[in-house]
Amino acid sequence: MPMVIGKEQAETVFNRYAWERRDAVARRDREALAAVETGPLLAENQAWVDLLKARAGWAGWVDSFGRPEFFIPAEKDQQGHPRSFAVLSREFAGSGKSRASAVHYFVQEAPGGEWKAAAMSWVNDRAAAPDPARTNEVGGFRLRDKEIAAPVRDAAGVVTLSPTAAADREVCGKYAKYMSFSLPDGEPVSEHFVPGVLTGGVVGDYNRLGEGLELVDKRVSFEAAGGELPVVRLADGKSLVTCTFVRTDFWEGRKATFKYGSTDFGDVGAVIGGMDKWWRDSTVRRSVTVSFEVPAGGGPADVVGSNAHVARVLSAEGTPK
């Protein structure tokens, strides 16, 4: 059965991406990133390069991935363009023991065009080992403890996409609505999501965000961003859906000014011009990626990986004192 890309070619695409991304970040070359990334992932990493430039002398950290597993759909399941495939891989530093896999989504926008990485998330795809030192945080993502089931593939290795992908992707809009509220009025419980540290726990973190709510009005707003990514059917009948968002934090002083005086907002401080400055209002945009396990036939979705709590800054601006 013809696939949207051959495995050898997919491996070449992935290896080129892994190498050129590391090199581009090391050289602080945002244009070189555009040769191997697109969409929200490109915007996020170009903003990160700008931040690294602002933090002179700070090397930063770039993940190094290996042992990839390719999940490539059949051509019949992705007729026309854009086309896409997914890759699960592990950090070289923990490739032998890690439970966690990075999930990269590669997209080809037009026939003959370059394949570029459009999104990246993390999931636990191995059972927990009896290791009390293990962690469910990796690469800026918090992960659900329970592992996902294996993606479904046929004997030839072709991945099975969800036949209800459009309905599965509705989780993106539901999550954006769930995560948009004025602080501290976020509702931790939602009929659309399984309760836990990656859902209600994040809402609670936002509700407690910073201090001085009596002096500063704060609101967080999520908006779905980027194109549609492939929805992979898992062996337990559920679907793995990854969504990208822009999170916007709005702060406005109530006849008062404020500053980013906490390490929680260090990235904002670097972008906005320093943590020692006072502001009347600010608008900070962040890049968020979340992976969900969506049950067949409906029911609450479960977040399996999310960086919503430490999302990277895309831009920051404000009205100075």
Side-chain angles (χ1 to χ4, degrees), residues 17-289:
Y17 164 74
W19 168 255
E20 293 195 14
R21 174 177 176 265
R22 284 182 60 84
D23 183 62
V25 173
R27 293 186 290 106
R28 311 295 192 252
D29 188 343
R30 60 195 333 272
E31 295 308 316
L33 282 170
V36 292
E37 292 183 338
T38 188
L41 186 60
L42 173 61
E44 175 182 320
N45 284 324
Q46 285 186 328
W48 188 38
V49 164
D50 292 340
L51 176 63
L52 292 175
K53 289 179 179 178
R55 288 178 164 182
W58 187 51
W61 172 256
V62 183
D63 299 312
S64 181
F65 300 106
R67 301 181 67 183
E69 297 179 62
F70 297 92
F71 297 94
I72 306 172
E75 280 188 347
K76 67 179 182 63
D77 294 331
Q78 283 193 352
Q79 298 182 16
H81 283 76
R83 291 180 170 182
S84 53
F85 68 94
V87 183
L88 268 66
S89 61
R90 302 182 192 279
E91 287 184 294
F92 278 118
S95 59
K97 299 179 180 179
S98 175
R99 299 183 62 204
S101 281
V103 187
H104 285 89
Y105 294 88
F106 289 85
V107 174
Q108 185 190 48
E109 295 291 348
E114 294 284 354
W115 287 90
K116 298 182 179 182
M120 188 197 81
S121 181
W122 286 87
V123 299
N124 275 330
D125 67 329
R126 289 180 176 177
D131 179 3
R134 65 184 169 84
T135 177
N136 283 333
E137 291 200 33
V138 60
F141 282 73
R142 291 179 181 171
L143 309 183
R144 186 188 69 179
D145 189 63
K146 183 179 182 298
E147 71 277 9
I148 63 169
V152 177
R153 290 190 283 189
D154 66 15
V158 179
V159 72
T160 300
L161 298 183
S162 170
T164 57
D168 296 336
R169 290 192 188 100
E170 291 178 3
V171 73
C172 303
K174 293 175 181 176
Y175 184 82
K177 185 176 181 180
Y178 169 53
M179 295 298 295
S180 299
F181 50 85
S182 295
L183 281 58
D185 299 328
E187 292 289 343
V189 178
S190 168
E191 63 178 315
H192 301 299
F193 299 100
V194 175
V197 295
L198 299 184
T199 50
V202 176
V203 173
D205 287 346
Y206 286 1
N207 281 336
R208 295 186 294 271
L209 192 62
E211 299 177 350
L213 289 175
E214 72 280 2
L215 300 175
V216 181
D217 291 322
K218 300 179 182 180
R219 174 174 173 76
V220 61
S221 177
F222 275 63
E223 182 179 1
E228 294 181 343
L229 301 172
V231 178
V232 176
R233 176 55 54 90
L234 303 175
D236 58 5
K238 298 175 182 177
S239 298
L240 180 65
V241 182
T242 294
C243 309
T244 52
F245 304 91
V246 172
R247 165 187 149 192
T248 306
D249 300 344
F250 302 96
W251 290 19
E252 184 174 10
R254 298 180 182 179
K255 298 183 179 179
T257 56
F258 55 87
K259 65 179 179 179
Y260 298 98
S262 164
T263 55
D264 294 337
F265 304 103
D267 287 356
V268 178
V271 175
I272 209 169
M275 290 191 295
D276 59 339
K277 297 185 178 182
W278 290 86
W279 304 92
R280 300 184 187 280
D281 58 64
S282 66
T283 301
V284 179
R285 297 170 62 253
R286 297 175 177 269
S287 178
V288 174
T289 306

